[in-house]
Amino acid sequence: MEKRAFNIIGNRKTWYIVSTLLIIPGIISLFVWGLNVGIDFKGGTLQQLSFVGDRPSADTIREDIAKAGIHGATIQTSGDKDVIIRFPNAEGKTPREEGTKLVDTFTSNGQEVTEQSFQNIGGSVAKDTTRKAVTAVILAALAIVAFIAYSFRSVPRPTSSWRFAVTTIFALAHDILFTVGAFSIIGHFFPTIEVDALFITALLTILGFSVNDTIVVFDRIRENLRRTPTKPFEEIANSSLNQTLARSLNTSMTVLIVLVSLLLLGGESIRNFILALTLGIAVGTYSSIFNAAPILVSWQNWVNKNALTPLKRR
């Protein structure tokens, strides 16, 4: 008995609408609120302190930070004793002076602390980090296009390797826009959710994972094109999706179970990184199934239609 085939390609307009609805809120948020960037991209100081006794409450720590005259600070607990404090560079004061004053404030209130780490990033370094991060993502995307175009160079007609490559980038752009937009929304309401260097690492990881899922589907389309060249391209694409659907879902679900476990039980220091991975891989699984192949079919149908138009005019 044959397994039931889902008409994913036939309902592609529905998936296009769903995909648009997924990324529109994030795009609006990016224009209205922007990103809550960390000190890696805007400059500032990161100071990690360890309390010798019991760590005070978050509200008490915030009060002591305000007493030290530091504004715009965010705190993040780490372990049972540590707290990570991030604050922007203030005019007229050196970061080291502010860090020392913060330690003195805790000490004067009877809370013995030791400084575990102190890191300051200047404005020029932050701008350079931003430029390198954007360059890394763009270069990774271009490398993926070139790799897929080369790998699928022997794909049978009517399609071409470049359509496979460019279609993959459309799907990846959807994943990146969703993840960045989601962080814009979440970061607006939860200031501790920041975009830092680890976030860029997460985006590059998402690109790799998503393109792997997409290539699995595209490779099956290529195989089926060779086996049944007389079938309509749309039918071949839909069959290929159904043949790889279980594998894609099982692989992604296994990864997501691990990520959700880390998100709930892991440390504060990797929380933003794991959150970005969880969102990106979840939406990447969706786009590999419901975006990549449907876009490829829509593009191919458009090419076929334009190729037939001059013949009809004769």
Side-chain angles (χ1 to χ4, degrees), residues 73-85:
T74 60
I75 65 171
Q76 180 179 343
T77 56
S78 178
D80 296 326
K81 301 287 185 180
D82 292 6
V83 62
I84 299 171
I85 303 170

Side-chain angles (χ1 to χ4, degrees), residues 64-120:
D64 289 340
I65 293 173
K67 288 179 183 178
I70 296 175
H71 304 285
T74 60
I75 65 171
Q76 180 179 343
T77 56
S78 178
D80 296 326
K81 301 287 185 180
D82 292 6
V83 62
I84 299 171
I85 303 170
R86 296 177 175 85
F87 52 90
N89 295 329
E91 293 183 8
K93 298 179 183 178
T94 65
R96 184 69 267 183
E97 288 175 345
E98 289 195 291
T100 302
K101 189 175 181 180
L102 184 56
V103 172
D104 293 340
T105 301
F106 283 122
T107 303
S108 65
N109 290 339
Q111 298 158 348
E112 188 178 350
V113 297
T114 57
E115 186 177 87
Q116 300 297 314
S117 65
F118 183 89
Q119 179 186 9
N120 178 260

Side-chain angles (χ1 to χ4, degrees), residues 3 53 92 102-103 107 118 147-148 171 184 190 205 241 254 279:
K3 293 182 179 179
L102 184 56
V103 172
T107 303
F118 183 89
F147 171 76
I148 295 177
S184 174
F190 301 95
T205 306
L241 273 174
T254 304
L279 292 172

Side-chain angles (χ1 to χ4, degrees), residues 58-288:
D59 289 336
T60 301
I61 295 174
R62 290 190 184 95
E63 290 175 3
D64 289 340
I65 293 173
K67 288 179 183 178
I70 296 175
H71 304 285
T74 60
I75 65 171
Q76 180 179 343
T77 56
S78 178
D80 296 326
K81 301 287 185 180
D82 292 6
V83 62
I84 299 171
I85 303 170
R86 296 177 175 85
F87 52 90
N89 295 329
E91 293 183 8
K93 298 179 183 178
T94 65
R96 184 69 267 183
E97 288 175 345
E98 289 195 291
T100 302
K101 189 175 181 180
L102 184 56
V103 172
D104 293 340
T105 301
F106 283 122
T107 303
S108 65
N109 290 339
Q111 298 158 348
E112 188 178 350
V113 297
T114 57
E115 186 177 87
Q116 300 297 314
S117 65
F118 183 89
Q119 179 186 9
N120 178 260
I121 298 177
S124 59
V125 175
K127 289 180 181 178
D128 186 58
T129 302
T130 303
R131 179 181 57 80
K132 288 180 178 179
V134 173
T135 302
V137 174
I138 293 174
L139 288 178
L142 292 176
I144 288 171
V145 169
F147 171 76
I148 295 177
Y150 178 79
S151 299
F152 283 79
R153 64 191 183 280
S154 60
V155 66
R157 292 187 175 279
T159 188
S160 74
S161 61
W162 283 105
R163 288 193 201 110
F164 280 85
V166 176
T167 298
T168 302
I169 292 302
F170 281 129
L172 294 181
H174 171 272
D175 302 341
I176 296 300
L177 276 174
F178 174 83
T179 306
V180 173
F183 258 68
S184 174
I185 296 171
I186 298 171
H188 176 73
F189 295 101
F190 301 95
T192 57
I193 305 298
E194 295 181 334
V195 171
D196 54 14
L198 275 179
F199 180 77
I200 302 303
T201 304
L203 289 185
L204 294 174
T205 306
I206 291 165
L207 285 176
F209 193 92
S210 296
V211 77
N212 177 68
D213 264 357
T214 303
I215 284 178
V216 169
V217 178
F218 282 180
D219 191 54
R220 184 57 60 88
I221 291 175
R222 178 173 58 181
E223 290 178 5
N224 288 335
L225 277 171
R226 291 170 177 169
R227 291 174 183 171
T228 56
T230 57
K231 278 189 177 181
F233 184 72
E234 185 169 329
E235 184 179 335
I236 291 175
N238 196 68
S239 298
S240 301
L241 273 174
N242 279 275
Q243 291 166 12
T244 57
L245 186 60
R247 174 181 173 179
S248 297
L249 292 177
N250 290 338
T251 302
S252 297
M253 284 304 299
T254 304
V255 176
L256 287 173
I257 288 171
V258 175
L259 289 176
V260 172
S261 299
L262 286 172
L263 189 61
L264 297 175
L265 304 174
E268 294 284 340
S269 58
I270 61 170
R271 181 185 58 187
N272 293 352
F273 174 69
I274 298 300
L275 177 60
L277 280 181
T278 304
L279 292 172
I281 289 177
V283 77
T285 302
Y286 164 83
S287 66
S288 297

